[in-house]
Amino acid sequence: MSPALAAAIGLVRGWTRLYTAGMEPDARTERCAEIDSDLWEFHEDARRRGATPTLLALHMALRLVLGIRHDLVWRAEQVRVRAPLVQKALWVTAAASVVLVWWLASTLQGVEAPRMAGINVMRLLYPIKPVASVPTPPLPPIEFARFNVRFVSLLPPPPPPPPPQPAWK
Amino acid sequence: MRRKPGTLVPLELAICDAAAALRRCGGDEFHGYEIAKALGDAADARLLTAYGTLYRALGRLEKMGVLRSRWEDPEIPARENRPGRRLYTLTALGETTLEEARLRSEAGARTRVRRRLAPA
């Protein structure tokens, strides 16, 4: 067997062992055995047809590279099979969190609540029971800016008013 | 790739087609490399289907019930000094699915031709 072919076979086998690592032993063994069988059949068939080992090695490497994306997706799908277990764990964690928050809120009832910018943080986070809060000062009235608009006339200024006439004339 | 339930993607359809062709030639069971070769011959492609693509599709088809698989008797590969083969068979459901897919694609092609020929 040529070094190139040996390297290609080793590469395919190595990659298969890598992406199946951590899987259930049966599924892993089956996938590795299936790829091993394909490699052997491919090798035998190419030998019978008289293909050069270098070309065969290149073909194997290409088949490996082009399928990497599907290998990874397949691996992800295998993980998803165990989803019910993960889902159960998530539900238990969520329930435990709710209980913890309830307990915390009831424990902190007598404690002075922390405030941020005058807002009762505990009341905001855990709106379970009303916690005594300091009345907030009323906001100052909003002042609107006033604009004095001056109209600048382009016309000449109006004539000055006539001087007042004496009443006896 | 998102798909409608009960439909096959082109590669799966090609695998079923190749499996049906192998069955017609007398091979009721086939292994992974055999189907890769049949696919390559049918498409007149020089490069065989990638390992990941092929075996993922075969697994999907088996899960759908279109194919069935079994590992051959370990005595046979031991006698022939080679690794054991996983042998696949096209199920009755697979044949029905293949037939339905063929009819659908033919109907689709007819509709496309009719649309093309319809006066504007």
Side-chain angles (χ1 to χ4, degrees):
Chain A
M1 191 183 285
S2 80
L5 186 57
I9 291 174
L11 201 68
V12 176
R13 279 187 178 150
W15 167 247
T16 310
R17 270 143 194 78
L18 183 71
Y19 76 78
T20 54
M23 279 178 61
E24 285 176 20
D26 286 353
R28 186 179 192 210
T29 313
E30 282 193 354
R31 174 49 74 110
C32 291
E34 197 160 26
I35 298 292
D36 267 354
S37 165
D38 190 307
L39 286 170
W40 190 88
E41 303 286 349
F42 193 17
H43 184 201
E44 279 300 298
D45 189 40
R47 201 171 53 83
R48 255 180 270 132
R49 281 187 286 114
T52 60
T54 316
L55 198 69
L56 180 60
L58 193 70
H59 200 153
M60 278 179 182
L62 269 174
R63 282 186 78 191
L64 163 73
V65 171
L66 293 174
I68 284 178
R69 188 173 68 89
H70 289 280
D71 283 331
L72 295 175
V73 174
W74 177 80
R75 180 68 175 86
E77 284 169 354
Q78 301 306 304
V79 174
R80 233 176 284 154
V81 171
R82 284 188 234 163
L85 263 178
V86 176
Q87 214 168 19
K88 268 183 197 168
L90 280 173
W91 275 114
V92 168
T93 314
S97 311
V98 168
V99 170
L100 185 72
V101 165
W102 203 274
W103 174 78
L104 251 175
S106 54
T107 310
L108 293 171
Q109 209 181 341
V111 181
E112 197 180 335
R115 291 176 181 284
M116 278 174 71
I119 299 164
N120 187 336
V121 179
M122 291 310 290
R123 193 170 183 180
L124 197 73
L125 287 174
Y126 312 111
I128 301 162
K129 283 184 179 178
V131 181
S133 60
V134 175
T136 50
L139 287 169
I142 300 164
E143 285 181 14
F144 292 102
R146 289 179 190 159
F147 297 97
N148 290 322
V149 183
R150 282 186 183 169
F151 292 99
V152 181
S153 175
L154 296 174
L155 296 168
Q165 297 290 323
W168 52 269
K169 267 193 179 177
Chain B
M1 181 185 243
R2 287 227 171 263
R3 67 163 92 195
K4 286 180 197 167
T7 57
L8 301 178
V9 296
L11 174 66
E12 293 165 352
L13 205 58
I15 289 174
C16 292
D17 237 348
L22 286 172
R23 175 177 276 187
R24 280 195 295 275
C25 295
D28 200 32
E29 290 183 310
F30 56 90
H31 53 82
Y33 176 69
E34 216 171 351
I35 205 81
K37 211 176 157 206
L39 286 174
D41 290 344
D44 206 17
R46 294 182 75 179
L47 192 69
L48 297 183
T49 313
Y51 298 111
T53 315
L54 176 70
Y55 290 104
R56 187 176 162 228
L58 286 172
R60 249 186 347 239
L61 287 170
E62 194 179 1
K63 213 176 273 179
M64 286 162 74
V66 171
L67 294 179
R68 197 179 42 238
S69 82
R70 69 172 181 89
W71 285 93
E72 69 178 343
D73 185 0
E75 279 181 17
I76 303 166
R79 206 167 43 231
E80 294 178 3
N81 196 25
R82 60 167 173 78
R85 291 169 176 165
R86 186 177 196 163
L87 300 168
Y88 293 90
T89 321
L90 190 67
T91 61
L93 175 70
E95 281 176 19
T96 316
T97 313
L98 183 63
E99 197 55 42
E100 280 172 6
R102 263 193 209 136
L103 289 173
R104 249 200 311 271
S105 90
E106 276 171 21
R110 259 193 310 240
T111 313
R112 277 195 296 278
V113 168
R114 225 177 291 142
R115 272 191 205 142
R116 220 175 292 148
L117 294 177

